Amino acid sequence: MSISVYGQDVERILVSEKEIDAITTRIAEEIDRDYENEEGKLVLLCILKGSVVFMGDLMKKIRRPVEIDFMRVSSYGEGTKSTGRIKIHLDLNRTDISECNILIIEDIIDSGRTLSYLSEYLRINGAKSVRTCTLLDKPSRREVEFSSDYVGKTIPDEFVVGYGLDYQEKYRALPYVGILKREVYEH
Ligand code: PRP
């Protein structure tokens, strides 16, 4: 099979399809075990857009009943600098939030601001419990202290795309996580 057009822009694969499969299997087992004795619903909350591929694969491997929901948020930026404030574009709109054990699903943690804010936001809004799950974690980029309950893989500070992650809305459909060639984003 010939390499995809977008695949040609990838310097090297950082997390292969096989490794992603092993990660989603492991995390699904951990989730099944950890929520076994929890009362209430388990709600997987996908943070759009980057988490949609990870969420889709992970939810198929969780054996206990789950509901799914979606939010879309972004950081307010000042030029290229993040101000650290989070804007909600699509909110969670549930009347049963007090019965929900919410597990936030992210593709990546960078500064930590998104998950830190969202965890607090959902608690304040009355969620029964809030935990977090991320495919990728870049601890070297943290601006606020935050650690996720479930982590697929800790990675170095590289520009990664694929498996949901984008550069200018491209590369999300690649089936693996790869490091983008510098020449693509340095003009
Ligand atoms: C990414 C990622 C997280 C956030 C993490 O989303 O999906 O939501 O950034 O960064 P932080 O830890 O510094 O807060 P992005 O804004 O790129 O949106 P997208 O998922 O729609 O691509």
Side-chain angles (χ1 to χ4, degrees):
M1 198 167 65
S2 65
I3 193 160
S4 78
V5 174
Y6 284 157
Q8 290 170 6
D9 292 344
V10 169
E11 181 73 47
R12 70 181 170 91
I13 294 175
L14 191 64
V15 196
S16 68
E17 290 181 70
K18 197 171 164 208
E19 189 174 358
I20 291 170
D21 188 53
I23 288 169
T24 50
T25 299
R26 169 178 60 82
I27 293 180
E29 285 170 4
E30 290 172 9
I31 290 168
D32 276 327
R33 186 195 62 213
D34 293 350
Y35 284 89
E36 197 177 347
N37 298 315
E38 293 267 2
E39 285 182 15
K41 306 170 185 182
L42 173 55
V43 177
L44 305 180
L45 176 59
C46 176
I47 308 305
L48 297 169
K49 302 174 187 173
S51 309
V52 73
V53 187
F54 179 43
M55 168 97 157
D57 281 347
L58 184 65
M59 63 187 274
K60 287 184 282 184
K61 294 184 176 178
I62 298 173
R63 304 217 175 272
R64 55 172 298 110
V66 295
E67 294 188 12
I68 62 168
D69 231 312
F70 300 86
M71 283 184 77
R72 192 161 80 81
V73 299
S74 65
S75 312
Y76 281 100
E78 275 174 2
T80 54
K81 233 179 138 26
S82 159
T83 59
R85 287 190 302 143
I86 305 294
K87 182 174 182 183
I88 296 177
H89 301 279
L90 173 67
D91 204 348
L92 187 64
N93 194 9
R94 300 185 70 115
T95 51
D96 62 348
I97 193 157
S98 63
E99 299 159 38
C100 297
N101 296 300
I102 297 180
L103 180 56
I104 308 174
I105 310 292
E106 267 289 22
D107 51 344
I108 191 163
I109 309 179
D110 198 341
S111 70
R113 291 188 187 280
T114 304
L115 275 183
S116 174
Y117 175 87
L118 278 177
S119 301
E120 188 61 15
Y121 176 81
L122 293 163
R123 283 193 189 102
I124 288 169
N125 279 281
K128 187 170 171 56
S129 72
V130 181
R131 286 185 181 136
T132 60
C133 172
T134 187
L135 174 67
L136 305 172
D137 191 2
K138 274 187 186 175
S140 60
R141 298 265 304 174
R142 278 301 188 285
E143 292 170 20
V144 296
E145 213 179 301
F146 187 85
S147 55
S148 181
D149 298 287
Y150 304 94
V151 176
K153 185 169 180 152
T154 301
I155 61 166
D157 187 16
E158 300 277 8
F159 199 134
V160 285
V161 294
Y163 201 70
L165 291 126
D166 75 310
Y167 170 60
Q168 296 184 337
E169 294 300 325
K170 292 185 282 190
Y171 310 102
R172 291 194 197 273
L174 288 175
Y176 50 78
V177 177
I179 298 173
L180 195 60
K181 285 181 181 167
R182 268 185 183 277
E183 66 216 49
V184 178
Y185 57 93
E186 281 182 356
H187 303 292

